[in-house]
Amino acid sequence: MALPPSLPPSSGRPARLVVLVSGSGTNLQALIDRIGAEGEAFGAEIVAVGADRTGIEGLERAERAGLPTFVCRVRDHETREGWDRALAEATAAHEPDLVVSAGFMKIVGKEFLARYGGRFVNTHPALLPSFPGAHGVRDALEYGARVTGCTVHFVDDGVDTGPIIAQGVVEVRDEDHADHEAGGNALHERIKEVERRLLVDVVGRLARHGYRIEGRKVTIQ
Ligand code: GRF
């Protein structure tokens, strides 16, 4: 799928972000904190936070920050297409320049991508194209990779296949295996530290400088 090149450099007003979450929302919090610290100089503001479920810490973080929220649950729609359309419409109501999937654990459909292709950024906890999908951290560990990390990329119609914007590397430690077997997630926590910095940095740069997508190549202008 061709992603339209998008977003001109910031024209004086902050870029409008809708952030989508499904879980603890620490990536969202990192964005909230940086924007709070830098204000307009960051180049972007969060205009709404959307989720695919209720009762998550990510929504509580949004509410604590005074941000509008919306929830679109698959189970409230007869078809997956209906859900996708509702998500696209709920997002569009906030007129975002960029949509950020910050731990949003759903694959969006055609309608959402038709509106937001080339403007929809995801963060994935592995070094793509290795270990796509919902278990990137576990899969890298079980494969025996010695380094893993995180990838911030544009979303296309595949699973974690869109053009890569930036990556961060995290070493796998011997003790991560025992920790994983004991049900811990120390490796994911170390990845998330790198991921939060990377995501915030990338979103700010995209918003301030604008970007072009040519094939798989992303250039921040
Ligand atoms: C991140 O590692 C993200 O890449 C993955 O889920 C985690 C979300 O963390 N898909 P949080 O909800 O931002 O704390």
Side-chain angles (χ1 to χ4, degrees):
M1 188 195 70
L3 294 177
S6 216
L7 212 69
S10 125
S11 53
R13 69 157 176 90
R16 297 171 63 82
L17 307 178
V18 166
V19 182
L20 301 179
V21 296
S22 297
S24 63
T26 63
N27 281 284
L28 165 67
Q29 189 68 53
L31 278 164
I32 292 172
D33 292 347
R34 181 76 78 85
I35 292 169
E38 289 189 13
E40 287 212 353
F42 182 72
E45 60 178 343
I46 302 173
V47 293
V49 174
D52 63 330
R53 61 196 76 184
T54 54
I56 53 171
E57 176 70 10
L59 284 174
E60 284 170 27
R61 289 177 192 275
E63 277 151 23
R64 279 201 295 273
L67 297 169
T69 61
F70 60 89
V71 175
C72 256
R73 301 191 305 179
V74 172
R75 72 160 97 134
D76 294 335
H77 299 271
E78 268 174 30
T79 61
R80 188 80 184 195
E81 290 72 28
W83 169 78
D84 183 57
R85 198 173 316 117
L87 180 71
E89 277 164 15
T91 301
H94 299 281
E95 301 182 346
D97 298 302
L98 284 173
V99 182
V100 181
S101 159
F104 185 62
M105 300 304 283
K106 286 282 183 300
I107 306 291
V108 300
K110 284 202 173 75
E111 173 84 30
F112 196 92
L113 284 176
R115 290 202 206 209
Y116 295 110
R119 293 193 287 148
F120 186 24
V121 174
N122 181 46
T123 174
H124 178 74
L127 293 173
L128 296 172
S130 293
F131 314 116
H135 304 290
V137 180
R138 181 197 72 190
D139 293 348
L141 195 58
E142 290 183 354
Y143 190 84
R146 300 308 312 218
V147 292
T148 183
C150 50
T151 303
V152 179
H153 65 98
F154 285 105
V155 179
D156 68 5
D157 56 0
V159 177
D160 301 323
T161 51
I164 290 171
I165 311 167
Q167 295 183 298
V169 175
V170 174
E171 265 187 63
V172 178
R173 297 178 185 157
D174 289 341
E175 58 267 31
D176 289 333
H177 293 271
D179 173 72
H180 171 61
E181 272 152 35
N185 53 11
L187 176 59
H188 196 178
E189 289 306 321
R190 294 206 309 287
I191 291 171
K192 283 176 67 168
E193 280 174 29
V194 175
E195 192 177 22
R196 290 191 281 265
R197 283 198 298 275
L198 191 72
L199 180 69
V200 170
D201 176 62
V202 164
V203 168
R205 288 196 295 128
L206 292 173
R208 286 190 300 275
H209 304 300
Y211 60 87
R212 290 194 311 276
I213 306 170
E214 292 154 305
R216 294 205 55 82
K217 190 165 153 256
V218 180
T219 308
I220 297 181
Q221 289 158 344

